[in-house]
């Protein structure tokens, strides 16, 4: 099933549901909302517990410093021609909020609003990163033993197409939370829609220059856990604080860090044992209290320790230090994963959201049309090849199919694990001609059909090969359609 066909099938189901529930105004409003959502940018929610670093990571992804606005509201960040914000509450009509500009971003002025009074805040910001994705900053989720009734998690499940779930250690409580996002027929059959982010890795690494390396090892171990693998499409370590610092680092901040780096290490270290010592002790390198406070806000004491080490070891200008902070933060890997696993496969995730909504309506609002609609839903799930590709990608990641490394890598690429464009799937140059794409896809289809019929392979391997062969057939169909145009 090509992306266009999956879209058509899901839209047809939504229209059938609209007809079946035409006498139920509440349900028809919800279904029209789902149809409208289908054509909107992908919604990615940043989810995590208290002080998990959600807002900081979100700012790092945007490359702009948009100050947190209200910890109890859902804050939506959308692309727009100019900075703008609107507040929504249950007791007042929507109101435009004042936006205060700063040198590195903006702040939304909530003067006159009580804490918790706003339900949603929509921030429009001219950022290239928001053209295909709407980012959603959520309130902190509750305690692990309350997740079944957690209103934040329940709303995230309704509103978001994909999740960035922030955690420090990927332990049992996190898995129970994520398990709740995969309930229902669609949740089990549709692709996993979560990237787990091991956040604040700068702190867990104690400020060492190899902190990210250790966090990457932890991420690989986490993904080898079958319980984690079943719930996340990837595990990525990332420090939002370091990533944001690298993206907005100014010359004044670099000059202060360079001054600290010139202080002998033995003399500087006592000041970097805690944030309080750095802020209130004797000013090292002659930095006044305001400058030290600004550095703490930008980098934290662990980030200051890392940045001064980097300056001493060769990052002797602002651009070099900023680049190295971003690299060591893991932000590049996270952005790549978000683009490859979410943005490139957004039509699949949009379909998942729509089908989840339809399933919930059929469960909560049974009616005369429910039986027929449920049958269509189950048939669509069984025939959606994109969903089969996603299940195969999960099996390839944990190695349970038993393909050798070369075969597994080719299978992963052909089913979209390295990108959804034809050239990315076929592993050839992006500017390849249509004839070259066709020839490469035809050869791949022939090879994988042979694998699918090879009696020497295990049953699971042959079934996996069938999925890959069908992906090749879908590529050929898309290329034929492109040639016809």
């Amino acid at each position: 099933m090509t992306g266009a066909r999956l879209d058509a099938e899901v839209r047809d189901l939504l229209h059938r549901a609209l007809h079946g529930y035409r006498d139920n105004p509440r349900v028809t409003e919800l279904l029209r909302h789902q149809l409208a959502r289908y054509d909107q940018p992908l919604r990615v929610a940043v989810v995590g517990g208290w002080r998990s670093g959600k807002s900081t990571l979100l700012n790092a992804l945007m490359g702009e410093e948009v100050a947190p606005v209200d910890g109890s509201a859902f804050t939506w960040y959308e692309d727009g021609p100019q900075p703008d914000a609107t507040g929504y509450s249950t007791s007042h009509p929507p109101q435009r909020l004042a936006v205060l500009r700063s040198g590195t971003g903006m702040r939304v002025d909530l003067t006159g609003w009580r804490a918790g009074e706003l339900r949603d805040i929509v921030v429009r910001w001219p950022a290239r990163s928001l053209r295909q994705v709407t980012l959603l900053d959520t309130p902190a989720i509750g305690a692990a033993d309350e997740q079944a009734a957690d209103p934040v998690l329940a709303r995230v499940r309704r509103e978001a197409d994909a999740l960035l779930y922030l955690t420090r250690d990927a332990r049992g409580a996190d898995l129970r939370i994520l398990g709740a996002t995969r309930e229902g027929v669609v949740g089990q059959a549709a692709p996993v829609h979560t990237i787990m982010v091991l956040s604040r890795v700068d702190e867990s690494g104690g400020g060492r220059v190899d902190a990210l390396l250790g966090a990457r090892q932890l991420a690989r171990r986490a993904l080898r856990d079958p319980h984690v693998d079943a719930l996340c499409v990837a595990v990525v370590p990332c420090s939002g604080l370091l990533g944001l610092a690298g993206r907005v680092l100014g010359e004044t901040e670099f000059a202060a860090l360079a001054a600290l780096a010139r202080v002998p290490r033995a003399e500087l270290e006592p000041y970097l044992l805690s944030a309080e010592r750095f802020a209130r002790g004797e000013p090292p390198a002659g930095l006044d209290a305001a400058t030290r406070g600004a550095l703490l806000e930008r980098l934290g004491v662990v980030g200051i320790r890392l940045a001064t080490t980097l300056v001493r070891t060769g990052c002797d200008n602002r651009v070099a230090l900023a680049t190295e902070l971003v690299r060591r933060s893991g932000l590049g890997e996270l952005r790549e994963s978000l683009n490859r696993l979410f943005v490139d496969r957004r039509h699949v995730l949009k379909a998942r959201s729509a089908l989840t909504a339809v399933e919930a309506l059929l469960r909560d609002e049974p009616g005369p049309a429910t039986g027929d609609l449920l049958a269509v839903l189950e048939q669509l799930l069984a025939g959606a090849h994109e969903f089969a590709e996603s299940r195969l990608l999960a099996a390839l990641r944990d190695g349970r199919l038993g393909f050798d490394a070369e075969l597994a890598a080719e299978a992963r690429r052909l089913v979209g694990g390295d990108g959804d464009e034809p050239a990315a799937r076929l592993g050839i140059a992006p500017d390849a001609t249509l004839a070259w794409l066709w020839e490469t896809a035809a050869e791949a289809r022939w090879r994988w059909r042979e694998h699918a019929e090879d009696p020497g392979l295990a049953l699971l391997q042959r079934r996996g090969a069938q999925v890959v062969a069908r992906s090749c057939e879908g590529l050929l169909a898309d290329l034929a359609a492109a040639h016809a145009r």
Side-chain angles (χ1 to χ4, degrees), residues 7-192:
D7 288 351
E9 294 274 2
V10 174
R11 290 175 192 272
D12 179 67
L13 175 61
L14 288 169
H15 283 292
R16 289 189 187 202
L18 272 170
H19 179 75
Y21 283 89
R22 59 190 180 278
D23 297 327
N24 188 327
R26 191 186 73 82
V27 173
T28 55
E29 181 182 356
L30 291 172
L31 290 167
R32 289 194 181 97
H33 172 69
Q34 287 299 322
L35 276 168
R37 245 182 88 175
Y38 218 103
D39 296 314
Q40 295 170 0
L42 189 73
R43 297 178 174 187
V44 178
V46 184
V47 182
W50 178 251
R51 295 186 64 81
S52 59
K54 296 184 286 79
S55 297
T56 304
L57 179 66
L58 187 144
N59 286 345
L61 288 169
M62 292 195 297
E64 308 278 357
E65 195 170 21
V66 183
V69 285
D70 185 338
S72 61
F74 280 71
T75 306
W76 306 77
Y77 294 91
E78 304 175 348
D79 184 35
Q82 60 187 12
D84 179 73
T86 305
Y88 297 83
S89 74
T90 56
S91 56
H92 298 84
Q95 293 191 29
R96 189 167 184 174
L97 305 173
V99 174
L100 309 177
R101 297 296 301 267
S102 69
T104 56
M106 63 170 277
R107 180 172 65 85
V108 178
D109 185 4
L110 296 182
T111 302
W113 292 93
R114 297 189 301 273
E117 189 174 4
L118 288 172
R119 183 189 72 248
D120 291 89
I121 300 171
V122 177
V123 178
R124 295 175 184 86
W125 183 259
R128 185 168 54 185
S129 57
L130 296 176
R131 291 175 186 169
Q132 294 180 304
V133 172
T134 292
L135 293 172
L136 171 59
D137 192 5
T138 65
I141 53 177
D145 58 354
E146 299 172 356
Q147 290 312 310
D150 187 286
V152 173
L153 190 62
R155 188 174 174 196
V156 166
R157 292 173 63 185
R158 293 195 304 271
E159 300 278 9
D161 301 312
L163 310 181
L164 295 179
Y165 181 81
L166 276 61
T167 177
R168 292 198 181 199
D169 49 22
R171 293 185 177 175
D174 299 308
L175 303 185
R176 288 193 293 273
I177 293 168
L178 292 178
T181 68
R182 297 209 65 202
E183 295 173 351
V185 175
V186 177
Q188 293 299 313
V192 177

Side-chain angles (χ1 to χ4, degrees), residues 157-283:
R157 292 173 63 185
R158 293 195 304 271
E159 300 278 9
D161 301 312
L163 310 181
L164 295 179
Y165 181 81
L166 276 61
T167 177
R168 292 198 181 199
D169 49 22
R171 293 185 177 175
D174 299 308
L175 303 185
R176 288 193 293 273
I177 293 168
L178 292 178
T181 68
R182 297 209 65 202
E183 295 173 351
V185 175
V186 177
Q188 293 299 313
V192 177
H193 67 325
T194 299
I195 294 174
M196 180 179 284
V197 181
L198 300 182
S199 63
R200 305 181 76 155
V201 298
D202 53 317
E203 296 179 13
S204 62
R208 299 190 308 269
V209 293
D210 62 347
L212 185 60
L213 178 60
R216 284 175 176 147
Q217 293 171 345
L218 176 61
R220 285 193 292 270
R221 287 199 301 270
L223 200 54
R224 286 198 295 268
D225 182 337
H227 301 292
V228 175
D229 180 72
L231 297 170
C232 307
V233 70
V235 180
V236 182
C238 183
S239 165
L241 187 65
L242 290 182
L244 178 60
R247 298 197 72 180
V248 301
L249 189 71
E251 289 290 354
T252 300
E253 292 164 323
F254 174 77
L257 291 167
L260 289 174
R262 289 192 291 270
V263 176
R265 188 188 300 270
E267 183 180 334
L268 181 62
E269 280 300 319
Y271 293 103
L272 298 178
L273 292 176
S274 70
E276 184 177 5
R277 284 197 181 196
F278 184 76
R280 298 183 181 180
E282 291 294 326

